[in-house]
Amino acid sequence: MRFFDLFVPGRVCLFGEHSDWAGGHRRTNSAIAPGVVIISGTNQGMYARCRKQPGELVVRSTLTDGTVTETFRVPMTLERLQQEAAAGGFFSYAAGVAAYMLDFFGVDGLEIDNYKTTLPVKKGLSSSAAFCVLVARAFNQAYQLGLTTRAEIEAAYQGEIATPSRCGRMDQGCAYGQIPVMMTFDGDRISVKPLRPGGDFYLLIADLCGKKDTVQILSDLNAAFPFAKTPRDTEVHCCLGAENQRLLALARAAVEAGDAAGLGALMTEAQAVFDQHLMPVCEELKSPRLHAVLADAQVAVWVYGGKGVGSQGDGCVQFLCKSVASRGELEAYLQRQYGMPCFELDIKRPASICKAVIPVAGLGTRMFPYTKAVPKTFLPVVTPDGIAKPVIQVIIEEALAAGVEEVALVIQPEDEPRFRAYFQTDVRPETLAKLPTALKHEAERVMAIGKRLTFIPQHDAKGFGHAVLLAEKWVGNEAFLLLLGDHLFRSSETRSVARQVVERFEAFGDSQSVVGIYEETLARVKHYGTVTGEWIEEDTLQLRRVFEKPTEDEAQTYLTVARHGKETYFCVNGIYALRSGIFGLLRQQAALSGTGEVQLTPALEALRQDEGVKGLVVCGTHFDTGIPSIYAETVGKFGSSLVH
Ligand code: UTP
């Protein structure tokens, strides 16, 4: 049975602390406003390797300090799991969640090796909830239950409350990963909305190393619920209700707009509101250490704002820093001046393109008879660092350097064992032992790439467009990066060539597809998709025509482009940042072609007519490996550091 890897972060409550349980009081008093919080997954978390384990639950854990626990084993029966859950302790969480999964989904056993933990425990980061989510997700994946993140959250919560530990309902929000999530609490109902940050936010959380009595804080604040009896109670309701809702609406807008200065100011305002209304009812909320550091004029130089964390008191403080550099200075200062250990939290604008498709199922007739032996994507090239790699690895590395997380290769079904042998099978120990260190690292890199790959079979080589269409289900309704399986790139600036295309796609607000283009000689346009259009920026054409492999005559008649005072030609370089609308157009092409080939270029031309397509003149060179004479040139030039 194969292992699979999981990572679950902890979570920090950025705004709205205490409103979660306050909103829960709507069960008895509907005049209370629903609670709203924004939480975010932390950079730190729990890593695990998991696989099915018939008949028992087997868990091993590695604590933050590197200590490995003894292995916990329990038979996969409801009674034994429930007993272990009720007994308490670290493994009770796993037993509690396993009992729930067995009861509701009839799963069998599981082995979980939590081989690394970077999450500080007992720092209000919900390490227990992270562990429960990890167990729920491991069952979900091992038994292919198809549960949504929301359902995993429920399983994690039910599992945790089967143990003696108490947890809040917002703790399991870490299931959404390292993104901010808005959660609303209305009596027993919770709704969860992942937010899409419009920019990067650099937070620093510092342990105030003070004292904090969470039970006392909760008891003092809860005394005002469910019905307000005094004007002060009414103030508490207002602070955790209407005022909280107002601040959270503004905070959500600031997150989505990428407005770090605005979000920092809101943190400071939230603390002021909290102090004004809640401090008078709870001595613990005077929190002298928190207020001293928030009022420190030196700290203000590096931050846009800050506030207390979690239940507040002298537990932790969070700051929104002006930059990565100012965060570094603040961290050093807090450690030096106050002896406060810190950890960083990044909230990042998500990449607009997370997936890449690389079709490599072509027949490779132009490289025959080599392709009778091996698919052409396994042809060797030597990279500038002197390592011999198959073409496909270099192309996948190009895609990953553009920021994508997952890559699908469209392959001929009979080639799958070859791809798996290369990317997903460990090197034999006797070979590994003989490799120099650099190549040992390379072996690890290849396996790391293998974890991000999906293979999609193309049973009949019905063209490049047909291969792309087969990836539709895997890509879903998102923009994606498409790379040819036989073109290599060398950037002449710091960003990879694919990264340049993706960034330009993002810069135009993801509103139109962008293809990489380069200047080509008239004699060679017959090999490539050729484009024409109007310059809208120095390096960007708004395309007016996309033409597959034109003759010289056709190119001269329809496809000239004026550039730097001369007539020239531009061809697509094999890198496309495409909106998902391409799939519908490819389907139309497929319907028109009957059993014939489906090419990308006509669909790209249709996409251009529908919603516009831009061409970016990339900074860099591309190398074809699919034509013998050009491949021979590529082998010579690609490894040379002189090429640009
Ligand atoms: P090419 O146009 O170079 O075709 O494909 P080919 O079959 O690889 O090579 P020749 O023309 O027979 O010599 C461009 C890319 O699209 C993939 C190829 O593997 C290559 O990466 N492709 C092409 C598919 O995946 N499926 C196909 O049916 C055709």
Side-chain angles (χ1 to χ4, degrees):
M1 263 163 263
R2 288 180 45 165
F3 278 107
F4 54 92
D5 287 308
L6 289 179
F7 168 76
V8 178
R11 70 106 190 95
V12 171
C13 175
L14 298 178
F15 281 93
E17 55 272 31
H18 292 297
S19 79
D20 53 334
W21 57 257
H25 281 297
R26 281 173 56 77
R27 270 176 234 113
T28 32
N29 179 4
S30 61
I32 292 170
V36 197
V37 303
I38 293 179
I39 62 160
S40 175
T42 56
N43 299 7
Q44 300 76 10
M46 298 179 128
Y47 298 77
R49 223 170 270 127
C50 315
R51 66 174 169 184
K52 286 183 186 171
Q53 171 72 28
E56 52 178 359
L57 175 67
V58 180
V59 190
R60 201 169 27 258
S61 194
T62 308
L63 309 180
T64 314
D65 64 6
T67 320
V68 182
T69 64
E70 288 196 0
T71 301
F72 167 83
R73 284 178 181 274
V74 57
M76 220 32 216
T77 66
L78 201 51
E79 198 185 4
R80 287 286 289 114
L81 290 168
Q82 282 170 342
Q83 260 173 17
E84 289 295 339
F90 184 70
F91 291 111
S92 68
Y93 299 120
V97 178
Y100 178 87
M101 300 307 282
L102 174 61
D103 197 10
F104 280 74
F105 303 107
V107 295
D108 196 359
L110 197 67
E111 178 182 338
I112 302 175
D113 178 11
N114 163 216
Y115 61 89
K116 185 162 106 179
T117 302
T118 51
L119 196 60
V121 280
K122 298 212 177 343
K123 286 284 167 229
L125 303 185
S126 296
S127 50
S128 58
F131 188 49
C132 289
V133 167
L134 191 144
V135 176
R137 184 160 295 163
F139 275 109
N140 188 15
Q141 291 199 7
Y143 291 94
Q144 298 183 358
L145 302 176
L147 300 182
T148 59
T149 307
R150 185 68 188 77
E152 288 176 349
I153 286 181
E154 193 57 28
Y157 176 71
Q158 295 299 337
E160 185 156 0
I161 59 170
T163 73
S165 144
R166 292 299 94 182
C167 62
R169 290 239 59 175
M170 73 162 120
D171 296 348
Q172 301 77 22
C174 60
Y176 282 91
Q178 289 158 280
I179 55 162
V181 175
M182 191 164 200
M183 299 179 84
T184 308
F185 302 87
D186 180 350
D188 288 323
R189 283 186 298 146
I190 315 175
S191 58
V192 187
K193 170 140 187 51
L195 302 183
R196 189 183 162 88
D200 297 343
F201 300 90
Y202 306 106
L203 289 112
L204 189 72
I205 314 254
D207 186 343
L208 293 162
C209 303
K211 89 172 183 42
K212 153 175 170 167
D213 186 344
T214 305
V215 174
Q216 188 62 52
I217 298 172
L218 287 173
S219 150
D220 288 348
L221 297 181
N222 261 288
F225 290 86
F227 295 97
K229 292 176 283 302
T230 65
R232 204 164 252 189
D233 289 351
T234 308
E235 257 189 71
V236 175
H237 283 219
C238 173
C239 178
L240 298 179
E243 262 300 276
N244 184 57
Q245 289 189 332
R246 178 185 71 80
L247 283 166
L248 267 285
L250 294 171
R252 173 184 174 173
V255 167
E256 291 181 334
D259 177 8
L263 194 68
L266 281 166
M267 284 185 184
T268 304
E269 185 181 347
Q271 185 66 48
V273 169
F274 192 90
D275 289 348
Q276 184 193 342
H277 298 291
L278 304 187
M279 209 193 266
V281 298
C282 177
E283 194 61 21
E284 277 286 318
L285 295 179
K286 294 227 159 64
S287 32
R289 287 180 71 83
L290 170 69
H291 288 92
V293 72
L294 284 176
D296 185 326
Q298 180 58 55
V299 168
V301 172
W302 297 305
V303 307
Y304 288 127
K307 62 186 277 297
V309 178
S311 55
Q312 290 247 358
D314 271 343
C316 287
V317 58
Q318 74 194 32
F319 290 107
L320 185 51
C321 303
K322 292 182 179 168
S323 66
V324 173
S326 29
R327 179 166 68 182
E329 299 206 43
L330 175 64
E331 186 166 357
Y333 176 76
L334 292 178
Q335 278 168 359
R336 197 172 60 239
Q337 193 72 15
Y338 296 92
M340 292 176 180
C342 303
F343 65 89
E344 297 173 354
L345 171 65
D346 293 328
I347 297 180
K348 295 238 162 169
R349 179 170 189 257
S352 60
I353 292 191
C354 305
K355 293 181 174 176
V357 175
I358 310 176
V360 287
L363 299 176
T365 47
R366 288 170 294 173
M367 295 301 275
F368 191 84
Y370 176 82
T371 43
K372 191 176 175 211
V374 180
K376 68 177 178 183
T377 203
F378 278 98
L379 281 164
V381 283
V382 178
T383 54
D385 48 6
I387 298 180
K389 298 182 187 180
V391 163
I392 186 60
Q393 183 183 342
V394 181
I395 299 173
I396 295 171
E397 286 171 353
E398 179 76 32
L400 296 176
V404 305
E405 313 240 326
E406 295 173 77
V407 179
L409 303 184
V410 183
I411 59 170
Q412 291 187 18
E414 56 273 27
D415 291 336
E416 186 165 338
R418 184 185 300 276
F419 282 99
R420 290 204 186 277
Y422 186 74
F423 286 111
Q424 295 179 339
T425 310
D426 280 317
V427 179
R428 286 211 310 266
E430 54 274 30
T431 312
L432 198 62
K434 288 190 181 148
L435 294 179
T437 312
L439 294 185
K440 282 199 176 95
H441 287 152
E442 196 55 33
E444 284 169 18
R445 249 166 87 86
V446 172
M447 291 296 282
I449 289 174
K451 290 197 175 129
R452 295 168 179 245
L453 297 184
T454 297
F455 301 109
I456 298 174
Q458 185 187 29
H459 293 275
D460 300 307
K462 294 205 306 192
F464 182 49
H466 179 257
V468 176
L469 186 52
L470 291 173
E472 179 176 15
K473 189 157 170 259
W474 179 79
V475 169
N477 198 16
E478 298 169 19
F480 65 104
L481 183 67
L482 174 66
L483 295 168
L484 280 176
D486 53 7
H487 278 46
L488 304 177
F489 301 88
R490 168 70 29 74
S491 177
S492 50
E493 53 140 84
T494 47
R495 298 168 304 162
S496 72
V497 174
R499 180 79 224 154
Q500 294 170 34
V501 175
V502 168
E503 284 192 7
R504 189 52 58 97
F505 175 74
E506 289 173 349
F508 284 113
D510 312 353
S511 58
Q512 285 186 9
S513 301
V514 176
V515 300
I517 56 175
Y518 70 101
E519 203 169 335
E520 185 54 283
T521 59
L522 179 60
R524 281 167 57 143
V525 291
K526 62 175 178 286
H527 295 302
Y528 304 111
T530 306
V531 299
T532 185
E534 281 75 46
W535 295 105
I536 50 167
E537 283 183 25
E538 215 271 319
D539 57 0
T540 309
L541 274 181
Q542 184 66 48
L543 301 190
R544 194 167 20 87
R545 185 109 192 237
V546 186
F547 203 105
E548 180 65 6
K549 300 188 175 114
T551 61
E552 287 192 20
D553 266 0
E554 283 167 334
Q556 280 175 310
T557 313
Y558 305 114
L559 299 169
T560 52
V561 176
R563 170 102 159 150
H564 301 148
K566 66 177 170 86
E567 300 269 279
T568 184
Y569 302 91
F570 281 90
C571 293
V572 296
N573 70 356
I575 298 188
Y576 311 78
L578 292 176
R579 284 161 52 84
S580 59
I582 194 75
F583 290 120
L585 299 166
L586 281 167
R587 253 182 279 117
Q588 284 176 16
Q589 294 293 327
L592 285 177
S593 80
T595 52
E597 290 211 340
V598 183
Q599 287 309 335
L600 180 75
T601 306
L604 196 61
E605 170 61 17
L607 188 70
R608 187 197 65 73
Q609 289 171 22
D610 276 8
E611 52 184 37
V613 174
K614 295 184 166 72
L616 171 71
V617 185
V618 299
C619 295
T621 317
H622 82 283
F623 303 88
D624 194 338
T625 64
I627 302 170
S629 58
I630 300 182
Y631 171 67
E633 248 179 69
T634 293
V635 170
K637 283 189 184 164
F638 187 69
S640 153
S641 54
L642 296 174
V643 287
H644 277 302

